PDB file of all heavy atoms in Angstrom:
ATOM      1  N   ARG C 536     -57.378  -7.216  21.375  1.00  0.00           N
ATOM      2  CA  ARG C 536     -57.532  -8.633  21.666  1.00  0.00           C
ATOM      3  C   ARG C 536     -57.274  -8.893  23.150  1.00  0.00           C
ATOM      4  O   ARG C 536     -58.056  -9.539  23.838  1.00  0.00           O
ATOM      5  CB  ARG C 536     -56.565  -9.453  20.814  1.00  0.00           C
ATOM      6  CG  ARG C 536     -56.963 -10.918  20.749  1.00  0.00           C
ATOM      7  CD  ARG C 536     -56.165 -11.665  19.705  1.00  0.00           C
ATOM      8  NE  ARG C 536     -54.743 -11.556  19.929  1.00  0.00           N
ATOM      9  CZ  ARG C 536     -53.897 -11.035  19.045  1.00  0.00           C
ATOM     10  NH1 ARG C 536     -54.346 -10.589  17.884  1.00  0.00           N
ATOM     11  NH2 ARG C 536     -52.627 -10.983  19.301  1.00  0.00           N
ATOM     12  N   ALA C 537     -56.197  -8.319  23.689  1.00  0.00           N
ATOM     13  CA  ALA C 537     -55.830  -8.523  25.086  1.00  0.00           C
ATOM     14  C   ALA C 537     -56.914  -7.967  25.998  1.00  0.00           C
ATOM     15  O   ALA C 537     -57.247  -8.565  27.026  1.00  0.00           O
ATOM     16  CB  ALA C 537     -54.494  -7.853  25.378  1.00  0.00           C
ATOM     17  N   ASP C 538     -57.458  -6.842  25.570  1.00  0.00           N
ATOM     18  CA  ASP C 538     -58.480  -6.195  26.383  1.00  0.00           C
ATOM     19  C   ASP C 538     -59.700  -7.099  26.526  1.00  0.00           C
ATOM     20  O   ASP C 538     -60.296  -7.185  27.599  1.00  0.00           O
ATOM     21  CB  ASP C 538     -58.867  -4.868  25.719  1.00  0.00           C
ATOM     22  CG  ASP C 538     -59.145  -3.809  26.770  1.00  0.00           C
ATOM     23  OD1 ASP C 538     -58.582  -3.933  27.892  1.00  0.00           O
ATOM     24  OD2 ASP C 538     -59.897  -2.871  26.468  1.00  0.00           O
ATOM     25  N   SER C 539     -60.046  -7.780  25.462  1.00  0.00           N
ATOM     26  CA  SER C 539     -61.222  -8.645  25.545  1.00  0.00           C
ATOM     27  C   SER C 539     -60.873  -9.999  26.174  1.00  0.00           C
ATOM     28  O   SER C 539     -61.651 -10.549  26.924  1.00  0.00           O
ATOM     29  CB  SER C 539     -61.815  -8.837  24.151  1.00  0.00           C
ATOM     30  OG  SER C 539     -60.879  -9.510  23.341  1.00  0.00           O
ATOM     31  N   GLU C 540     -59.709 -10.508  25.892  1.00  0.00           N
ATOM     32  CA  GLU C 540     -59.370 -11.848  26.379  1.00  0.00           C
ATOM     33  C   GLU C 540     -58.875 -11.843  27.813  1.00  0.00           C
ATOM     34  O   GLU C 540     -59.075 -12.804  28.556  1.00  0.00           O
ATOM     35  CB  GLU C 540     -58.290 -12.477  25.476  1.00  0.00           C
ATOM     36  CG  GLU C 540     -58.824 -12.893  24.113  1.00  0.00           C
ATOM     37  CD  GLU C 540     -57.712 -13.331  23.193  1.00  0.00           C
ATOM     38  OE1 GLU C 540     -56.541 -13.367  23.632  1.00  0.00           O
ATOM     39  OE2 GLU C 540     -58.013 -13.624  22.021  1.00  0.00           O
ATOM     40  N   LYS C 541     -58.231 -10.791  28.227  1.00  0.00           N
ATOM     41  CA  LYS C 541     -57.625 -10.656  29.549  1.00  0.00           C
ATOM     42  C   LYS C 541     -56.850 -11.927  29.957  1.00  0.00           C
ATOM     43  O   LYS C 541     -57.235 -12.635  30.890  1.00  0.00           O
ATOM     44  CB  LYS C 541     -58.712 -10.360  30.600  1.00  0.00           C
ATOM     45  CG  LYS C 541     -59.436  -9.046  30.328  1.00  0.00           C
ATOM     46  CD  LYS C 541     -60.180  -8.592  31.547  1.00  0.00           C
ATOM     47  CE  LYS C 541     -60.810  -7.231  31.414  1.00  0.00           C
ATOM     48  NZ  LYS C 541     -61.138  -6.705  30.103  1.00  0.00           N
ATOM     49  N   PRO C 542     -55.819 -12.256  29.328  1.00  0.00           N
ATOM     50  CA  PRO C 542     -55.104 -13.515  29.546  1.00  0.00           C
ATOM     51  C   PRO C 542     -54.514 -13.621  30.960  1.00  0.00           C
ATOM     52  O   PRO C 542     -54.290 -14.723  31.451  1.00  0.00           O
ATOM     53  CB  PRO C 542     -54.001 -13.483  28.492  1.00  0.00           C
ATOM     54  CG  PRO C 542     -53.850 -12.057  28.119  1.00  0.00           C
ATOM     55  CD  PRO C 542     -55.188 -11.427  28.304  1.00  0.00           C
ATOM     56  N   TRP C 543     -54.313 -12.515  31.632  1.00  0.00           N
ATOM     57  CA  TRP C 543     -53.710 -12.590  32.971  1.00  0.00           C
ATOM     58  C   TRP C 543     -54.647 -13.234  34.010  1.00  0.00           C
ATOM     59  O   TRP C 543     -54.199 -13.821  34.963  1.00  0.00           O
ATOM     60  CB  TRP C 543     -53.266 -11.190  33.437  1.00  0.00           C
ATOM     61  CG  TRP C 543     -54.337 -10.159  33.366  1.00  0.00           C
ATOM     62  CD1 TRP C 543     -55.227  -9.845  34.327  1.00  0.00           C
ATOM     63  CD2 TRP C 543     -54.641  -9.348  32.243  1.00  0.00           C
ATOM     64  NE1 TRP C 543     -56.074  -8.878  33.890  1.00  0.00           N
ATOM     65  CE2 TRP C 543     -55.732  -8.546  32.610  1.00  0.00           C
ATOM     66  CE3 TRP C 543     -54.110  -9.207  30.955  1.00  0.00           C
ATOM     67  CZ2 TRP C 543     -56.308  -7.619  31.733  1.00  0.00           C
ATOM     68  CZ3 TRP C 543     -54.659  -8.275  30.108  1.00  0.00           C
ATOM     69  CH2 TRP C 543     -55.760  -7.502  30.488  1.00  0.00           C
ATOM     70  N   LEU C 544     -55.959 -13.145  33.728  1.00  0.00           N
ATOM     71  CA  LEU C 544     -56.909 -13.734  34.670  1.00  0.00           C
ATOM     72  C   LEU C 544     -56.764 -15.254  34.707  1.00  0.00           C
ATOM     73  O   LEU C 544     -56.711 -15.856  35.780  1.00  0.00           O
ATOM     74  CB  LEU C 544     -58.343 -13.348  34.286  1.00  0.00           C
ATOM     75  CG  LEU C 544     -58.663 -11.855  34.496  1.00  0.00           C
ATOM     76  CD1 LEU C 544     -60.119 -11.575  34.144  1.00  0.00           C
ATOM     77  CD2 LEU C 544     -58.388 -11.434  35.931  1.00  0.00           C
ATOM     78  N   ALA C 545     -56.665 -15.871  33.558  1.00  0.00           N
ATOM     79  CA  ALA C 545     -56.481 -17.322  33.467  1.00  0.00           C
ATOM     80  C   ALA C 545     -55.222 -17.739  34.221  1.00  0.00           C
ATOM     81  O   ALA C 545     -55.220 -18.728  34.971  1.00  0.00           O
ATOM     82  CB  ALA C 545     -56.391 -17.750  32.011  1.00  0.00           C
ATOM     83  N   LEU C 546     -54.203 -16.979  34.083  1.00  0.00           N
ATOM     84  CA  LEU C 546     -52.931 -17.285  34.732  1.00  0.00           C
ATOM     85  C   LEU C 546     -53.067 -17.217  36.253  1.00  0.00           C
ATOM     86  O   LEU C 546     -52.531 -18.041  36.984  1.00  0.00           O
ATOM     87  CB  LEU C 546     -51.848 -16.324  34.247  1.00  0.00           C
ATOM     88  CG  LEU C 546     -51.412 -16.550  32.787  1.00  0.00           C
ATOM     89  CD1 LEU C 546     -50.642 -15.357  32.273  1.00  0.00           C
ATOM     90  CD2 LEU C 546     -50.580 -17.810  32.687  1.00  0.00           C
ATOM     91  N   ARG C 547     -53.838 -16.232  36.702  1.00  0.00           N
ATOM     92  CA  ARG C 547     -54.082 -16.096  38.139  1.00  0.00           C
ATOM     93  C   ARG C 547     -54.774 -17.360  38.681  1.00  0.00           C
ATOM     94  O   ARG C 547     -54.446 -17.854  39.754  1.00  0.00           O
ATOM     95  CB  ARG C 547     -54.987 -14.881  38.420  1.00  0.00           C
ATOM     96  CG  ARG C 547     -54.229 -13.569  38.362  1.00  0.00           C
ATOM     97  CD  ARG C 547     -53.722 -13.209  39.754  1.00  0.00           C
ATOM     98  NE  ARG C 547     -53.041 -11.930  39.686  1.00  0.00           N
ATOM     99  CZ  ARG C 547     -51.751 -11.738  39.970  1.00  0.00           C
ATOM    100  NH1 ARG C 547     -51.015 -12.761  40.367  1.00  0.00           N
ATOM    101  NH2 ARG C 547     -51.222 -10.544  39.896  1.00  0.00           N
TER     102      ARG C 547
END
Side-chain angles (χ1 to χ4, degrees):
Chain C
R536 198 169 57 239
D538 217 26
S539 64
E540 288 172 3
K541 298 197 174 24
W543 53 89
L544 291 182
L546 289 164
R547 282 268 182 242

